[in-house]
Amino acid sequence: MAKIIDGKAISAEIRKEICEEVKSFEAENGFLPGLAVIIVGENPASKVYVRNKKKACEDVGFYSEVIEMPEETSEEELLSVIDRLNNDKKIHGILVQLPLPKHINEESVLLKINPAKDVDAFHPFNVGKIMTGNYDLAPCTPAGVMELIRRSGVEIRGKECVIVGRSNIVGKPQAMLMLAADATVTICHSRTKDLADVCRRADILVAAIGKPNFFGADMVKEGAVVIDVGINRGDDGKLVGDVNFAEVEPKASYITPVPGGVGPMTITMLLKNTLTAAKVSAKKH
Ligand code: GUN
């Protein structure tokens, strides 16, 4: 039987630490870490995420702004809001909620964000920093995965880590963070030959392909640490991961549930990145 990695509990623990740090940060610097979240349009899932981000900021005592812009906002208008936030001393983190309406070029928007305030770490400058291993800000989901593993007491150094999924948001940066932690890393994807064979080599398996219940017991080594980044809607409307939990849990040594595993960590890591950005900015002034 695997130990369940409780993302909610670990997330709460980190948020408590952030709360404490915010108090000492304010005492030392006379201002609060500040996050601005921009949402363009009416995507219902995005609205929920943004509401949760705002609430999370309030809970840890950050300054926060939510900028709601209509669907028909032009790219120019959005870029000028980012420009204003880039120059706003109260704001240390800027997050533009994705996806954007189709008429707005996502790359131009991400490039506009001051890399020092890029708390998603999606700007090519920060992507490059992660590649060189010299970074302050790491993308929230892969950073959350690292915290879950570390805080469960699992040693990463020297382990075989297989990541399934090669997205810019999860798979690729996850590989870099694992390398920085001295794992031996393999990245697999939809064209990988003998995927089950490769997965069975993993001491740490990170599942991030977005296919419900895709990973069965035949793809997991006895005693592996299994991290499920998948968030899929089942036929019954319930959330299901990429891992078939019922099959894999008896074989794994540690496993994250869905919901309640990686999910709760992403906003927590956003808070952590905002605090980090504020600290870096305070050092420069
Ligand atoms: N939309 C869904 N996830 C994310 C995220 O992590 N960052 C941003 N900016 N938008 C998202």
Side-chain angles (χ1 to χ4, degrees):
M1 291 288 273
K3 291 199 179 111
I4 309 296
I5 299 179
D6 184 344
K8 263 184 153 168
I10 294 176
S11 181
E13 182 181 301
I14 298 171
R15 288 191 196 196
K16 222 171 121 195
E17 292 166 13
I18 293 173
C19 251
E20 292 305 313
E21 281 202 59
V22 170
K23 285 178 201 148
S24 51
F25 179 89
E26 190 189 17
E28 210 169 298
N29 299 292
F31 62 90
L32 292 169
L35 176 70
V37 179
I38 306 174
I39 176 168
V40 185
E42 301 291 328
N43 182 312
S46 291
K47 282 174 126 175
V48 174
Y49 289 136
V50 169
R51 202 183 321 132
N52 290 341
K53 285 167 186 170
K54 182 170 172 51
K55 166 91 170 51
C57 282
E58 286 164 2
D59 289 349
V60 296
F62 285 0
Y63 172 76
S64 72
E65 281 181 29
V66 173
I67 294 131
E68 291 171 323
M69 303 182 78
E71 181 80 24
E72 60 275 12
T73 300
S74 70
E75 187 173 308
E76 233 184 343
E77 284 171 311
L78 176 56
L79 294 179
S80 84
V81 169
I82 295 172
D83 197 41
R84 171 172 68 73
L85 295 168
N86 280 342
N87 294 300
D88 184 337
K89 286 201 164 48
K90 296 191 299 302
I91 298 298
H92 310 99
I94 302 171
L95 181 143
V96 179
Q97 188 66 31
L98 303 175
L100 287 165
K102 290 205 171 44
H103 64 275
I104 299 178
N105 184 297
E106 187 180 299
E107 196 187 0
S108 313
V109 171
L110 297 181
L111 276 170
K112 185 74 178 174
I113 298 171
N114 175 354
K117 297 191 177 188
D118 171 34
V119 282
D120 266 326
F122 291 167
H123 189 293
F125 179 84
N126 287 323
V127 175
K129 298 273 281 177
I130 288 155
M131 193 82 179
T132 61
N134 165 32
Y135 52 86
D136 296 313
L137 303 170
C140 300
T141 302
V145 168
M146 301 308 286
E147 284 288 342
L148 286 176
I149 297 173
R150 290 203 179 100
R151 288 180 187 244
S152 301
V154 172
E155 169 91 81
I156 298 173
R157 174 175 295 173
K159 295 282 173 66
E160 287 270 353
C161 174
V162 175
I163 297 160
V164 191
R166 55 174 156 178
S167 70
N168 290 329
I169 294 180
V170 182
K172 283 189 230 172
Q174 189 75 71
M176 291 304 126
L177 301 193
M178 284 288 180
L179 265 185
D182 297 327
T184 302
V185 180
T186 305
I187 308 179
C188 302
H189 47 80
S190 55
R191 303 296 154 92
T192 297
K193 270 201 287 176
D194 305 322
L195 179 62
D197 280 349
V198 183
C199 290
R200 273 196 302 272
R201 293 210 307 259
D203 300 311
I204 300 171
L205 179 65
V206 181
I209 55 166
K211 289 190 185 160
N213 294 320
F214 181 84
F215 294 83
D218 61 316
M219 301 179 84
V220 176
K221 179 167 79 175
E222 194 74 46
V225 175
V226 179
I227 307 292
D228 191 348
V229 183
I231 300 181
N232 313 288
R233 285 267 167 217
D235 297 333
D236 54 3
K238 285 197 182 141
L239 286 186
V240 273
D242 290 353
V243 175
N244 184 327
F245 188 88
E247 266 193 29
V248 170
E249 187 268 336
K251 246 181 142 177
S253 59
Y254 290 85
I255 189 167
T256 61
V258 176
V262 175
M265 292 296 287
T266 53
I267 293 185
T268 299
M269 299 320 287
L270 172 69
L271 299 173
K272 192 150 189 193
N273 276 346
T274 304
L275 177 61
T276 301
K279 283 183 186 168
V280 172
S281 134
K283 260 193 233 152
K284 286 191 186 145
H285 292 106

